[in-house]
Amino acid sequence: MRSPARRTTWAIALSATLFLAACGGGGDEGGGEKSGDPIVVGISLPLTGDFSEPGKGVQEGYEAWAKITNDKGGLLGRQIELKILDDQSNADRVVADYEQLIGSDQVDLVVGPFSTRLVVPSARVAQEYGMLFVEPAGAAAEVFNQGFKNLFYAAPAVADDHYNHLAEHLLALPAGQRPTSVAYAAMDDPFAQGTAYGLKKKLEAGGVKTVVDEVYPPNTTDFGSIAAKIAAAKPDMVVGGSQYQDGVNLIVALQQLNYQPKLAAFSTAPTNPEFAKAIGNKTEGILSPTGYSQDAPYPSNKEFVEKFTAQFGKAPEEDQANGYTTGQVVGAAVQAAGCAEQGECQQKLIDWLHSNTVDTVVGSLKWDATGKPQGAHMIQQWIGNDIKIVLPADAKEADMVYPKPAW
């Protein structure tokens, strides 16, 4: 890590910042007299570059959390202000951003960026400064192998476990119905590979053969050769370890070759509001894991959906829910510890989260010693013109369609 002097020099060199103040009034949720000083929360997000689409969604989730909380009186009687920097989807930039936010700007709290590729280096900075680091989208195994004591992933499950319900369902089908062969294509990204290979490991253990296994760089735009390999192998199922644009591009390439799998599953991409239009509205039967549903019966979810929709003119999706959940986790810790500033307070926040459960819009969250959540993701499928929960059985909104219709 850089020395404090170099941190300051690098921080000063960064010029453009986005400062977002979410203000509101009324009430006193946290107790005590309202001080004149806001609680400043520092955040770096990929608002441009490879991860900009989900990054902007997480930003909206953070903004909704700040506004909804502020409208109730804030935290500890103080308003929340968000200070957001654009890391441009770059790991070096995200390190510099958090060094600026914590070391130079002296923010009171920090929360995490989008993508494991950005979470790991930024969490190291937060740990060096002794800061609590709750993050919305670093789900790969490597996040929890670093020895972080300050990190908490604010979602139901890590990447390797996203498809657990799907694997269990497929392997429980009669031998004549279950898929016998699968093609995997995954971005060279810990989260994307984690989701695809978590499913791969479970299906292979159940006797399902892997016929294609391709890993591509994050900046890949031409999926012609990968699609050709998949189409030539004619697997029953295709699994994409994708973010957004790469998932769209692979599906379009497969459509052009008229490859028609019995089942198709892609991480992240199918939950994006622009997905259906991007692939020509040929979504029927496509699966995706999700940690969030607008119809979930959790107590705070109804308020979130209503107030987010009023604020942004659209309903929240998973990325927005991830940002909001992260805010809920931090807010619960602040309320319980009775503080929100750098120094000894940060360890109080960390200790409280290691010992407690937090109710959120994605359900009740608790964590192991590494910050790994102890749950599983639901499985969604496009049915008609909508995406519905199909697994697990106790949460489903519709029956799973298998085999999928042609796209």
Side-chain angles (χ1 to χ4, degrees):
M1 274 294 174
R2 301 173 187 84
S3 68
R6 291 183 64 191
R7 286 193 198 102
T8 302
T9 301
W10 197 341
I12 292 172
L14 294 175
S15 56
T17 66
L18 174 62
F19 186 80
L20 300 169
C23 298
D28 185 0
E29 186 181 69
E33 294 298 320
K34 180 181 289 187
S35 109
D37 295 329
I39 296 173
V40 182
V41 183
I43 313 165
S44 180
L45 285 170
L47 303 179
T48 55
D50 291 337
F51 306 128
S52 61
E53 285 299 321
K56 291 172 184 175
V58 173
Q59 176 185 355
E60 290 174 341
Y62 283 143
E63 291 173 351
W65 166 69
K67 184 178 189 309
I68 292 170
T69 304
N70 284 342
D71 286 348
K72 295 179 178 181
L75 290 174
L76 308 180
R78 298 165 62 188
Q79 293 286 282
I80 298 167
E81 288 183 359
L82 306 181
K83 184 162 190 178
I84 300 180
L85 308 182
D86 177 11
D87 57 47
Q88 303 171 6
S89 303
N90 181 281
D92 290 334
R93 182 64 179 258
V94 83
V95 167
D97 282 355
Y98 279 100
E99 288 179 339
Q100 173 183 334
L101 289 166
I102 302 170
S104 178
D105 296 342
Q106 291 287 301
V107 297
D108 299 297
L109 303 166
V110 291
V111 289
F114 179 89
S115 169
T116 291
R117 292 159 64 90
L118 303 176
V119 163
V120 170
S122 53
R124 289 198 186 103
V125 177
Q127 180 172 257
E128 181 180 337
Y129 283 96
M131 299 288 285
L132 169 68
F133 197 75
V134 183
E135 51 95 357
E142 73 173 77
V143 172
F144 310 100
N145 296 337
Q146 306 291 323
F148 294 131
K149 304 299 184 185
N150 62 324
L151 179 143
F152 300 84
Y153 176 40
V158 296
D160 288 0
D161 294 329
H162 278 197
Y163 280 115
N164 283 2
H165 291 305
L166 180 61
E168 291 168 4
H169 176 80
L170 295 178
L171 295 176
L173 292 173
Q177 296 180 25
R178 75 183 66 151
T180 61
S181 58
V182 184
Y184 299 88
M187 178 190 284
D188 186 9
D189 170 84
F191 166 78
Q193 286 182 275
T195 57
Y197 289 157
L199 179 57
K200 178 174 178 283
K201 180 179 179 180
K202 295 172 180 70
L203 292 183
E204 285 182 343
V208 181
K209 184 179 180 182
T210 297
V211 293
V212 175
D213 185 356
E214 289 286 322
V215 177
Y216 52 86
N219 59 354
T220 300
T221 56
D222 184 355
F223 285 84
S225 61
I226 294 176
K229 288 182 182 180
I230 294 172
K234 299 180 180 178
D236 292 332
M237 180 178 179
V238 60
V239 175
S242 58
Q243 295 288 354
Y244 172 68
Q245 193 60 53
D246 57 314
V248 167
N249 291 347
L250 177 55
I251 290 172
V252 170
L254 292 171
Q255 290 172 340
Q256 291 171 345
L257 295 173
N258 199 33
Y259 160 64
Q260 301 293 348
K262 294 181 181 178
L263 209 58
F266 289 80
S267 56
T268 304
T271 63
N272 189 288
E274 304 300 321
F275 175 72
K277 182 179 179 181
I279 67 166
N281 294 309
K282 299 176 180 179
T283 57
E284 191 74 14
I286 296 176
L287 296 161
S288 181
T290 182
Y292 176 69
S293 169
Q294 295 164 6
D295 299 320
Y298 308 120
S300 62
N301 190 44
K302 181 179 180 181
E303 176 188 46
F304 169 53
V305 173
E306 290 178 353
K307 293 186 176 180
F308 182 96
T309 303
Q311 183 176 353
F312 293 98
K314 61 182 180 181
E317 304 290 344
E318 185 174 14
D319 292 328
Q320 288 89 344
N322 288 342
Y324 191 82
T325 302
T326 299
Q328 285 186 298
V329 171
V330 171
V334 167
Q335 296 283 50
C339 63
E341 64 266 349
Q342 292 195 33
E344 293 180 2
C345 172
Q346 297 293 317
Q347 191 59 51
K348 293 179 182 179
L349 301 174
I350 293 166
D351 290 343
W352 188 85
L353 286 177
H354 275 305
S355 304
N356 289 275
T357 298
V358 179
D359 293 327
T360 75
V361 297
V362 299
S364 296
L365 299 181
K366 61 180 180 179
W367 300 268
D368 68 11
T370 70
K372 183 186 297 184
Q374 305 295 286
H377 267 37
M378 299 175 288
I379 303 298
Q380 292 186 130
Q381 186 175 40
W382 278 90
I383 298 173
N385 296 318
D386 201 359
I387 191 165
K388 300 286 189 181
I389 303 297
V390 293
L391 294 170
D394 61 1
K396 74 176 184 178
E397 301 168 333
D399 291 329
M400 182 173 163
V401 177
Y402 174 74
K404 72 178 286 298
W407 53 27

